[in-house]
């Protein structure tokens, strides 16, 4: 019960990693707000949660790319709980042209993906930080990635219908640095900003990819979303009170 009574907002909380985060936060006593664009998917997820935990969980509609949506979500959460202890910036917006090979990426699609993703993270961080300043405390955890830290290992995608988009590197590296910027900007305001950078999370990937990926790791290879929980709980708890502006990489040594 490391997060007993803390109110934690998880953007994109109905996604692959978001669901695991929400469940772990609930299991550790938090009150969890699933802040989602896809509320139907959030509802489907909530229906699977144990009733005791479900009572501490709510869904708030949020589009991280729309100012009015972010502002009204914060108002709604405040009216529900009267406080917000932590924000997990985890949503993953992308357009239909996201994921193309480098030479096939069109300029406007590149700009739109960057804008939706890093722009959305900026927007949420800005509006929640404003709330946190008035409240007197707050905690932001940005979900970045190994590819915000190192260049892609292109060789592991060879021969497979997969790519590591240029947008992803731009977004995640910017997020790591933006987190440091905000941590320092909020000096003296009792607001922490850190990153959690996961390695590849297994989701029915091609076994050939998993094998190639694992060659760069030290034991397990592709991780499960649950392997991130300890680090997330740590960053959201008071145990990490003086950890600020940092990036915790959870990748089984992939980036070494
Ligand atoms: N899956 C991985 O291997 C992996 C590895 C490293 C980092 N990450 C990061 O973890 C985070 C979550 O990834 P995931 O794999 O769970 O993604 P996902 O696509 O499974 O889930 C993303 C969620 O974000 C929601 N969303 C999309 N646009 C939104 C918007 N505009 N406003 C609010 N919500 C929106 C979607 O509805 C979805 O529920 C992402 O930031 C991703 O970059 C993932």
């Amino acid at each position: 019960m490391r997060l007993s009574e803390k109110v934690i907002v998880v953007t994109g909380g109905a996604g692959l990693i978001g669901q695991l985060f929400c469940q772990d936060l609930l299991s550790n006593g938090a009150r969890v707000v699933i802040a989602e664009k896809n509320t139907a998917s959030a509802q489907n997820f909530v229906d699977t949660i144990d009733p005791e935990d479900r009572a501490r969980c709510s869904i708030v509609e949020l589009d991280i790319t729309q100012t009015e949506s972010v502002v009204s979500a914060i108002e709604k959460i405040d009216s529900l709980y009267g406080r917000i202890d932590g924000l997990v910036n985890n949503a993953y917006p992308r357009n239909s042209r996201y994921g193309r090979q480098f030479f096939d990426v069109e300029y406007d699609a590149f700009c739109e993906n960057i804008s939706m993703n890093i722009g959305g993270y900026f927007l949420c961080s800005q509006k929640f930080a404003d709330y946190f300043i008035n409240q007197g405390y707050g905690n932001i955890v940005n979900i970045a990635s190994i590819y915000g830290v190192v260049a892609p290992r292109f060789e592991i995608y060879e021969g497979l219908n997969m790519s590591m988009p240029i947008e992803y590197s731009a977004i995640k590296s910017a997020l790591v640095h933006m987190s440091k910027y905000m941590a320092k900007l909020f000096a003296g305001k009792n607001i922490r900003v850190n990153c959690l950078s996961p390695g590849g999370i297994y989701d029915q990937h091609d076994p050939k990819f998993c094998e190639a990926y694992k060659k760069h790791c030290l034991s397990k290879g592709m991780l499960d979303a649950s392997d991130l929980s300890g680090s997330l709980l740590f960053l959201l708890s008071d145990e990490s009170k003086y950890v600020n502006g940092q990036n915790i990489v959870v990748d089984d040594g992939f980036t070494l």
Side-chain angles (χ1 to χ4, degrees):
M1 290 294 157
R2 292 155 86 185
L3 300 178
S4 201
E5 300 305 316
K6 283 192 193 291
V7 176
I8 309 291
V9 180
V10 182
T11 72
L16 173 71
I17 294 179
Q19 288 194 15
L20 246 297
F21 281 170
C22 292
Q23 185 55 68
D24 286 330
L25 296 172
L26 288 166
S27 303
N28 279 274
R31 295 176 186 277
V32 174
V33 178
I34 303 172
E36 253 293 344
K37 189 173 179 185
N38 188 342
T39 51
S41 150
Q43 188 58 55
N44 287 339
F45 164 55
V46 168
D47 291 344
T48 67
I49 298 174
D50 175 81
E52 213 173 287
D53 284 343
R54 203 186 305 154
R56 282 180 286 109
C57 182
S58 50
I59 299 168
V60 168
E61 188 167 6
L62 170 72
D63 182 343
I64 67 162
T65 69
Q66 302 296 323
T67 305
E68 281 155 38
S69 174
V70 177
V71 170
S72 88
I74 292 172
E75 283 168 7
K76 176 96 191 285
I77 299 162
D78 182 60
S79 72
L80 283 172
Y81 300 106
R83 59 189 275 189
I84 303 172
D85 295 275
L87 166 70
V88 182
N89 269 321
N90 165 78
Y92 188 16
R94 59 260 202 210
N95 69 20
S96 59
R97 289 178 286 165
Y98 179 86
R100 292 187 178 172
Q101 302 290 344
F102 180 81
F103 289 106
D104 298 326
V105 176
E106 290 149 329
Y107 174 70
D108 65 318
F110 177 89
C111 293
E112 193 180 20
N113 280 308
I114 299 283
S115 155
M116 287 195 302
N117 216 303
I118 199 71
Y121 276 53
F122 156 73
L123 179 59
C124 282
S125 301
Q126 184 196 49
K127 298 298 177 197
F128 276 81
D130 190 37
Y131 179 93
F132 290 154
I133 286 170
N134 290 326
Q135 178 178 250
Y137 60 88
N139 190 350
I140 299 175
V141 178
N142 288 318
I143 307 305
S145 164
I146 45 174
Y147 287 146
V149 180
V150 293
R153 297 194 188 282
F154 290 111
E155 63 274 22
I156 65 175
Y157 303 95
E158 268 167 27
L160 297 166
N161 189 21
M162 293 173 80
S163 71
M164 182 38 64
I166 180 76
E167 297 95 316
Y168 197 68
S169 294
I171 289 161
K172 296 303 187 183
S173 56
L175 186 56
V176 171
H177 202 77
M178 205 163 83
S179 303
K180 293 181 193 174
Y181 178 109
M182 290 188 287
K184 208 152 184 189
L185 182 74
F186 303 148
K189 304 250 185 300
N190 205 17
I191 300 170
R192 295 193 284 132
V193 187
N194 289 291
C195 279
L196 171 56
S197 285
I201 302 299
Y202 180 69
D203 185 24
Q204 314 298 325
H205 289 81
D206 187 321
K208 280 190 204 135
F209 175 75
C210 296
E211 202 182 305
Y213 184 97
K214 191 174 176 180
K215 284 192 182 132
H216 295 279
C217 297
L218 306 182
S219 61
K220 181 172 177 175
M222 301 280 292
L223 300 178
D224 295 305
S226 55
D227 294 322
L228 307 172
S229 301
S231 300
L232 179 73
L233 295 174
F234 171 68
L235 287 175
L236 288 171
S237 75
D238 297 336
E239 290 163 34
S240 58
K241 199 170 174 187
Y242 297 108
V243 179
N244 204 348
Q246 302 302 310
N247 179 23
I248 298 187
V249 179
V250 183
D251 70 345
D252 191 22
F254 183 87
T255 49
L256 290 177

